[in-house]
Amino acid sequence: MNDVRIRIDLAYDGTAFHGWATQPGLRTVQEELQAALATALRVRAPEGERAQVWVTVAGRTDSGVHARAQVVHFDIDADVLTSSRRRSDLSALGALVRRLNGILPADVRVHRAIEAPEGFNARFSALSRRYVYRVVDVPEYVDPLQRHSVLYRTRPLDLSVMNVASADLLGLNDFATFCKAREGATTIRDLRQLTWSRREDGIIEATVVADAFCHSMVRSLVGCVMEIGEGRRDVTWAKEMLAARTRSSALPIAPANGLTLEEVTYPPDDMLAAQHVRTMNRREASELDRDR
């Protein structure tokens, strides 16, 4: 076989999905995309099973979370890819994008498909992920047409206090307080940005950037800081929660509808393999530290 690695950039409205990752009996983005790929590439499955082409994703989003710039990769035999073009006047990958968007439901769109450079891995080659959480706190700015992508809070938010509290969370830390536990998974992350700003249309945006995120981390960070912004907690509460390194029922998780994955960044092509190795080594070191 002569396998090639394909990178796909896609977007989705997460409202009607139970997150990214495949779950038995539930509608997920991964399930929809893998089934569409199998159909587009004419990949057959054993009798009684649903045909799928397995993909690796840059970051698994939670139930109800959106993505404007998600990245995945998959490996496929080059001859299978070429033959799937059929009579199209487009390139094999151009034809694949067209067919996928004809097969996928309207809440998932593929923006492009390219042959990935050597050493590329959608998950482990990534340098960072950028999420934006959108919220409005003034009734006159509430747009019912944005209810699936912007959260409405009934109390006003003090962004100056929220930015002070957010600064206390930056850096390489154990974010166990802000992550739902997963067996064997590290909670050490490098939080590079957590800032709050208000747009001219009144929508508040929390920009959150890290090397990676653990389960529910972004929404927990946002939920924590919004409690401070509404005056329910002291400005030092976020720092205290971080230091506790223990999940607490007192920590609110912000609703999913306000959160969107906006960007995944990668190094130059000639540094992809090295970044993959660094990521794996860092994860292994974090696991050792956690077990000590």
Side-chain angles (χ1 to χ4, degrees):
M1 293 180 65
N2 179 27
D3 279 0
V4 292
R5 177 158 291 186
I6 305 302
R7 168 179 169 164
I8 285 181
D9 293 66
L10 70 153
Y12 48 86
D13 177 346
T15 304
F17 287 105
H18 291 269
W20 165 267
T22 298
Q23 301 176 63
L26 297 176
R27 184 175 186 251
T28 67
V29 184
Q30 183 180 11
E31 185 81 13
E32 293 280 6
L33 179 60
Q34 291 182 168
L37 279 168
T39 299
L41 295 168
R42 295 189 288 182
V43 173
R44 295 184 178 181
E47 186 176 352
E49 296 182 17
R50 187 181 188 186
Q52 297 192 60
V53 174
W54 185 263
V55 300
T56 297
V57 70
R60 292 180 294 181
T61 50
D62 295 339
S63 179
V65 175
H66 318 294
R68 201 185 308 277
Q70 182 65 277
V71 181
V72 305
H73 81 253
F74 68 95
D75 298 324
I76 191 73
D77 185 278
D79 292 336
V80 172
L81 178 62
T82 300
S83 64
S84 71
R85 178 184 175 188
R86 303 175 195 175
R87 298 179 181 178
S88 174
D89 56 352
L90 299 173
S91 67
L93 289 174
L96 177 62
V97 171
R98 175 182 287 180
R99 284 198 305 278
L100 286 173
N101 284 328
I103 296 166
L104 287 164
D107 48 4
V108 184
R109 291 293 91 180
V110 171
H111 290 158
R112 69 167 183 165
I114 61 172
E115 185 171 341
E118 184 177 355
F120 177 82
N121 183 291
R123 180 184 178 190
F124 294 117
S125 297
L127 291 172
S128 66
R129 286 87 171 165
R130 176 170 63 87
Y131 283 85
V132 174
Y133 196 97
R134 296 177 173 89
V135 57
V136 62
D137 61 345
V138 180
E140 67 186 86
Y141 293 131
V142 177
D143 182 351
L145 300 183
Q146 296 179 325
R147 66 190 184 280
H148 296 306
S149 58
V150 179
L151 176 71
Y152 172 50
R153 299 282 283 204
T154 57
R155 293 191 180 191
L157 294 164
D158 185 339
L159 270 59
S160 61
V161 171
M162 293 163 71
N163 277 313
V164 171
S166 295
D168 288 335
L169 300 171
L170 299 179
L172 184 65
N173 294 297
D174 186 343
F175 286 92
T177 302
F178 300 92
C179 299
K180 286 188 176 179
R182 292 194 179 196
E183 186 176 354
T186 180
T187 51
I188 297 174
R189 295 291 188 269
D190 182 11
L191 183 62
R192 299 167 184 171
Q193 181 180 352
L194 176 52
T195 55
W196 300 76
S197 61
R198 190 184 298 272
R199 301 185 336 198
E200 290 184 2
D201 62 1
I203 293 176
I204 297 168
E205 292 187 333
T207 301
V208 193
V209 180
D211 57 342
F213 294 94
C214 44
H215 191 206
S216 294
M217 178 176 164
V218 179
R219 291 194 291 134
S220 295
L221 291 169
V222 169
C224 173
V225 177
M226 285 198 298
E227 288 283 294
I228 295 170
E230 291 182 344
R232 300 175 189 271
R233 300 282 185 173
D234 188 77
V235 69
T236 61
W237 189 55
K239 185 176 183 179
E240 293 165 2
M241 294 298 286
L242 176 67
R245 295 170 58 176
T246 303
R247 189 75 180 178
S248 169
S249 59
L251 185 69
I253 300 177
N257 65 298
L259 185 59
T260 302
L261 173 62
E262 295 284 351
E263 182 184 27
V264 183
T265 62
Y266 294 93
D269 292 354
D270 60 353
M271 298 178 64
L272 286 167
Q275 173 61 20
H276 188 165
V277 171
R278 281 195 296 270
T279 299
M280 297 303 294
N281 289 342
R282 187 164 60 246
R283 285 175 177 267
E284 290 175 4
S286 296
E287 291 299 321
L288 287 173
D289 289 340
R290 186 179 60 82
D291 292 339
R292 286 172 184 165

